[in-house]
Amino acid sequence: MNTQEKARIQEEFQQRMDYDELLNCMKCGFCLPSCPTYIETGEDEAHSPRGRIALMKGVVDGDIEPDEEVKKSLDMCLGCRACEPVCPSGVQYGQLLEEARDIIYQNQKTPLLKRMIRKIAFKGLFPKPKRLRRLAGLLRFYQKFKIQKLVHKFKLTKILPSAFRLMEKSLPMVPKMKTAKDRYEVLMPLSSNKKRVAFFTGCLMDSLFLSTNQSTIKLLQYAGCEVVIPNNQICCGALHGHSGEKQQAKEMAKKNIEAFEHLNVDYIITNAGGCGAFLNDYHHLLKNEEDWKDRAASFDRKIKDISSLLIELGFHKQPLELPQQVVTYQDSCHLKNGQHTFMEPRQLLQSIQGADYVEMKDASRCCGSAGIYNLVQTEMSMQILDYKMKRTQETQANVIVTANPGCLLQMKMGIEKERMAHQMRAVHIVDYLLEAYEYRNKEHAG
């Protein structure tokens, strides 16, 4: 980082950072026990929320240079926002972090290869649903026509970094992309009509995890919902917002608001904790744009996670059953800390006959996925995952349930890493609830 870049970054920190919010931090330290990176680095203050806020304020005040050490501290943060619920001052740490990262990444020159990768991913792939589905289609070809088996047989994955090898083994079987292409835009309820809802399909959820999206639609129909799926929606922009591409995130937010705002629905339903939390913050993302801030606020008010809706509709009171098994739950950080949805998934799981629910110690501590964190901060991510797997094994569960695609993939990686695939599986809560509903009704019908 050269002198000119540092000067530009410092100037933008002074112009853009919310100084009142930085001053809200009382330095009390209540956030420290909730911060995974603070704990895993041996209580290094620079890798705590309090420490990072002090660094941001120091840059604004001109006491600290925005050098590589500052960037390293901000990059090391998972962005899990576990510090927010425990903060007595209510500091909006996630918003400060996103603003700081955006300033640094937009003003620091990065190597050509890295710039190209970011451009392809953030501009050419995630905002383009058709391209993501084509990519998922290639993955399906790799899985279905035994290429993957040959790759493993000849141990060709050895050339990949360890985290990539784990991820490759943990990827779900990809269904036909024709499923999404042929999907109706409006689907009627399969029981008495209780709500009219729109479904936010997401990007990875509607390609790599398409089968879970299909389960979500079916579950909503069973719960008595008319489901509207606008085909002009796109990626929520969370990965962009968290990775220093805020302007691109704003453009995507506007397209999604336009896609949903005239649908006349009770709620906009999400099944991914990370997406839901970012959608729920569109009002903040667009707060300085007069033509959009009120529209964004109206959009935000309708965002609801599927677990909250199912509880509201009394789905947990329906007969739900599975063969005898032990199940535990891993919180999605952004579902809990961003959308404040904590008890609803647990209530749903506890209502399943035959599923013995065991609460995991530190279930709400981040699993280390955090968007693309497990790819760009692999060492710390795996360190955090190791802790999570120890807590999981203590429950003696056969099933780990979670509510976010990144968490799901991370927990699958943990199972592979610990060589426990023969005794444990990770599953999205939607797929698990649909299993329980259909198993009970099939058994009852028989």
Side-chain angles (χ1 to χ4, degrees):
M1 198 180 293
N2 61 43
T3 305
Q4 194 174 26
E5 287 170 347
K6 289 177 184 177
R8 282 202 307 268
I9 290 169
Q10 186 166 39
E11 184 181 352
E12 287 211 28
F13 260 72
Q14 292 167 345
Q15 291 172 356
R16 290 173 51 183
M17 294 301 295
D18 187 335
Y19 199 70
D20 289 338
E21 197 66 31
L22 291 171
L23 289 175
N24 275 344
C25 177
M26 301 187 301
K27 304 179 180 62
C28 64
F30 281 21
C31 59
L32 301 182
S34 300
C35 178
T37 54
Y38 175 74
I39 294 165
E40 295 296 336
T41 56
E43 301 186 353
D44 184 343
E45 187 73 29
H47 295 300
S48 72
R50 178 175 71 179
R52 291 180 178 111
I53 289 172
L55 289 175
M56 295 178 208
K57 183 176 179 295
V59 172
V60 175
D61 291 340
D63 298 330
I64 296 173
E65 273 197 344
D67 57 15
E68 288 298 330
E69 287 303 308
V70 171
K71 182 178 180 294
K72 179 183 175 183
S73 173
L74 298 180
D75 283 346
M76 183 73 79
C77 181
L78 292 144
C80 67
R81 295 169 60 180
C83 49
E84 291 183 13
V86 297
C87 177
S89 299
V91 175
Q92 296 298 302
Y93 173 80
Q95 294 172 4
L96 291 172
L97 177 68
E98 285 178 8
E99 195 73 16
R101 280 179 173 170
D102 187 61
I103 293 168
I104 290 171
Y105 275 91
Q106 295 306 315
N107 287 284
Q108 182 188 25
K109 190 173 182 180
T110 53
L112 178 62
L113 179 60
K114 191 172 182 180
R115 283 205 310 275
M116 287 175 64
I117 292 170
R118 286 177 68 89
K119 186 175 181 180
I120 290 167
F122 291 129
K123 294 185 184 296
L125 190 58
F126 285 106
K128 312 285 183 182
K130 288 181 181 177
R131 290 181 187 175
L132 272 174
R133 287 181 193 141
R134 286 193 202 107
L135 191 61
L138 289 175
L139 178 58
R140 175 179 166 77
F141 181 83
Y142 171 74
Q143 294 171 331
K144 186 174 175 58
F145 292 96
K146 300 184 180 177
I147 301 171
Q148 188 174 33
K149 286 185 179 179
L150 288 171
V151 166
H152 288 178
K153 182 180 178 180
F154 293 104
K155 298 180 179 179
L156 299 178
T157 58
K158 280 194 170 183
I159 63 171
L160 297 172
S162 58
F164 281 81
R165 290 201 300 272
L166 278 174
M167 187 173 288
E168 187 272 343
K169 287 180 73 174
S170 306
L171 290 170
M173 287 300 296
V174 178
K176 289 182 179 179
M177 290 299 106
K178 195 172 183 293
T179 309
K181 187 179 177 183
D182 295 345
R183 189 168 53 203
Y184 291 113
E185 196 166 346
V186 180
L187 297 104
M188 301 312 292
L190 297 173
S191 63
S192 57
N193 196 339
K194 298 174 183 176
K195 295 286 181 184
R196 175 179 161 91
V197 302
F199 176 40
F200 184 82
T201 55
C203 52
L204 289 179
M205 287 304 298
D206 215 36
S207 50
L208 194 59
F209 296 92
L210 178 59
S211 58
T212 299
N213 267 6
Q214 295 303 111
S215 296
T216 303
I217 294 164
K218 206 169 184 182
L219 202 62
L220 288 169
Q221 289 177 286
Y222 281 140
C225 294
E226 178 185 350
V227 186
V228 184
I229 310 169
N231 56 24
N232 56 338
Q233 61 178 297
I234 61 170
C235 168
C236 68
L239 286 175
H240 301 72
H242 302 329
S243 304
E245 298 286 343
K246 200 169 182 181
Q247 187 55 44
Q248 181 74 19
K250 288 180 180 181
E251 292 169 16
M252 295 162 79
K254 291 171 186 178
K255 288 182 180 179
N256 281 323
I257 292 168
E258 287 176 334
F260 284 90
E261 64 184 347
H262 300 302
L263 293 181
N264 189 29
V265 293
D266 298 302
Y267 300 117
I268 300 168
I269 300 302
T270 66
N271 63 0
C275 296
F278 199 74
L279 293 167
N280 203 44
D281 272 351
Y282 274 3
H283 69 287
H284 174 77
L285 187 67
L286 299 172
K287 66 178 182 179
N288 295 323
E289 302 200 24
E290 285 299 322
D291 293 342
W292 287 96
K293 63 180 184 180
D294 290 339
R295 293 165 73 180
S298 297
F299 176 90
D300 289 359
R301 283 193 288 270
K302 290 193 174 183
I303 298 296
K304 187 181 281 284
D305 183 73
I306 187 168
S307 60
S308 295
L309 176 68
L310 292 175
I311 292 294
E312 182 180 321
L313 298 180
F315 190 79
H316 59 303
K317 296 176 183 176
Q318 295 200 35
L320 302 169
E321 186 179 354
L322 283 170
Q324 197 64 41
Q325 55 197 269
V326 179
V327 58
T328 192
Y329 179 70
Q330 159 63 22
D331 283 285
S332 155
C333 295
H334 286 94
L335 183 59
K336 177 183 179 289
N337 304 321
Q339 291 182 270
H340 311 295
T341 301
F342 177 75
M343 283 307 301
E344 293 90 336
R346 291 166 169 80
Q347 284 178 265
L348 290 162
L349 294 174
Q350 289 167 358
S351 70
I352 302 172
Q353 186 179 338
D356 181 15
Y357 179 77
V358 178
E359 181 72 12
M360 183 197 306
K361 182 182 178 183
D362 294 332
S364 58
R365 185 187 290 188
C366 186
C367 64
S369 171
I372 56 172
Y373 189 91
N374 51 10
L375 299 179
V376 297
Q377 299 284 344
T378 303
E379 185 178 348
M380 179 56 70
S381 173
M382 293 299 106
Q383 197 172 321
I384 291 167
L385 178 59
D386 288 343
Y387 176 85
K388 183 60 64 175
M389 291 310 297
K390 286 177 186 174
R391 302 289 79 83
T392 303
Q393 290 174 61
E394 288 169 359
T395 67
Q396 299 186 324
N398 313 110
V399 183
I400 311 170
V401 174
T402 189
N404 188 63
C407 303
L408 179 59
L409 192 55
Q410 185 83 340
M411 299 314 294
K412 285 176 178 282
M413 288 170 65
I415 290 170
E416 286 289 341
K417 194 168 187 279
E418 297 295 323
R419 297 191 172 112
M420 297 177 65
H422 63 288
Q423 65 188 74
M424 183 184 289
R425 67 180 177 125
V427 61
H428 193 286
I429 189 168
V430 163
D431 293 309
Y432 197 66
L433 290 170
L434 186 63
E435 281 179 36
Y437 182 88
E438 293 189 337
Y439 178 86
R440 168 69 183 193
N441 282 278
K442 182 181 176 182
E443 290 292 301
H444 188 68

